């Protein structure tokens, strides 16, 4: 199967500090990949490079075989590369329905209608209803974001990302800041993502990594030191030294 997303020999330095060091990886449709590593490993910088928020010093980013290294962040979104953030970036005075309606209009290039009443657009609202229903947010669709729980806000962010019809979805700690009582719903939503969607998730919670990922990439000092099966990561000497520590003595969650 041809890769839907590729990074080839990507490098980035700030002054004399190399934060991304000749990184290469590829993902096929349907991949479930976790990107892990210690704080300061360069995970966020790598995501900023592949999404177009930073320019690399060298290397390439490809989507569906097209080189997009010189394409800006908005252009990559249009090509199906969608990112969520570690800290929610929702508008507190807007409703879930408004967030999703605007995302659908943006995706379809109908920004001229962005200030129109999309609540009266049957095709838009059908999609809004379906997405909110799938993520258990239907009853909250007309509530202000400021009035709903943080875990539900994280689910809404995922719904907005899905409304943009991603081919590649980058998730930055999707359960960060969410109470333990609400993480099960987020994990369920992750398990129900479209089967053909390639997902790269940055995550520190190793239990969640082992439940979600079919493949684990470990980044340390800007360099990939492991790329393989979750069941092999804890036995890798370099990974144990660089990151896992005592967790390596535990068994992966089935």
């Amino acid at each position: 199967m041809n890769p839907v997303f590729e990074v080839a020999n990507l490098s980035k330095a700030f002054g004399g500090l190399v934060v991304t060091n000749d990184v290469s990886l590829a993902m096929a449709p349907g991949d479930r990949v976790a990107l892990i590593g210690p704080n300061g490993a360069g995970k966020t910088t790598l995501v900023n490079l592949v999404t177009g928020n930073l320019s690399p010093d060298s290397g390439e980013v490809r989507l569906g075989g097209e080189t997009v290294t010189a394409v800006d962040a908005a252009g990559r979104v249009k090509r199906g590369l969608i990112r969520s953030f570690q800290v929610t970036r929702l508008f507190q005075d807007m409703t879930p329905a408004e967030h999703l309606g605007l995302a659908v209009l943006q995706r379809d290039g109908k920004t001229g209608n962005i200030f129109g009443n999309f609540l009266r657009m049957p095709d838009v609202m059908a999609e809004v209803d379906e997405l909110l229903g799938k993520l258990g947010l239907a009853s909250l669709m007309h509530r202000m974001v400021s009035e709903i729980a943080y875990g539900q806000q994280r689910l809404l962010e995922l719904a907005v990302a899905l409304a943009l019809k991603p081919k590649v979805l980058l998730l930055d700690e999707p359960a960060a800041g969410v109470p333990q009582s609400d993480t099960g719903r987020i994990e369920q939503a992750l398990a129900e993502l479209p089967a053909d969607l390639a997902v790269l998730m940055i995550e520190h919670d190793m239990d969640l990594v082992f439940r979600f990922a079919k493949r684990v990439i470990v980044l340390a000092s800007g360099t990939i030191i492991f790329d393989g099966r979750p069941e092999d990561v804890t036995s890798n000497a370099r990974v144990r030294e660089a990151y896992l520590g005592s967790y390596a003595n535990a068994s992966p969650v089935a």
Side-chain angles (χ1 to χ4, degrees), residues 212-224:
F212 168 81
K214 304 300 182 187
R215 178 175 151 215
V216 174
I217 295 173
V218 183
L219 198 67
S221 300
T223 301
I224 291 178

Side-chain angles (χ1 to χ4, degrees), residues 92-203:
Q92 297 296 303
D93 58 350
M94 286 175 57
T95 67
E98 289 171 335
H99 278 88
L100 290 184
L102 295 179
V104 171
L105 291 174
Q106 177 187 355
R107 182 199 71 209
D108 292 343
K110 298 178 180 177
T111 52
N113 295 327
I114 214 161
F115 295 107
N117 190 355
F118 57 81
L119 295 173
R120 296 198 181 99
M121 301 177 187
D123 54 338
V124 173
M125 289 311 299
E127 194 167 341
V128 169
D129 289 341
E130 180 183 7
L131 280 168
L132 291 177
K134 280 183 177 179
L135 294 174
L137 299 173
S139 64
L140 304 173
M141 67 186 303
H142 298 305
R143 297 272 298 274
M144 293 295 177
V145 164
S146 60
E147 299 173 354
I148 67 177
Y150 191 72
Q152 293 165 328
Q153 292 183 31
R154 299 311 303 257
L155 288 168
L156 175 56
E157 282 194 311
L158 185 57
V160 171
L162 293 175
L164 295 171
K165 299 288 188 186
K167 297 175 182 176
V168 180
L169 179 60
L170 307 180
L171 299 174
D172 194 347
E173 297 193 53
V178 176
Q180 191 67 33
S181 57
D182 293 338
T183 56
R185 187 66 189 88
I186 291 177
E187 287 197 44
Q188 181 182 346
L190 295 177
E192 295 172 354
L193 290 172
D196 61 346
L197 176 62
V199 184
L200 178 68
M201 180 176 73
I202 298 175
E203 187 53 64

Side-chain angles (χ1 to χ4, degrees), residues 13-34:
F14 295 102
L17 178 64
V18 177
V19 291
T20 305
N21 184 16
D22 198 31
V23 169
S24 296
L25 62 94
M27 294 174 61
D31 272 356
R32 297 291 186 267
V33 180

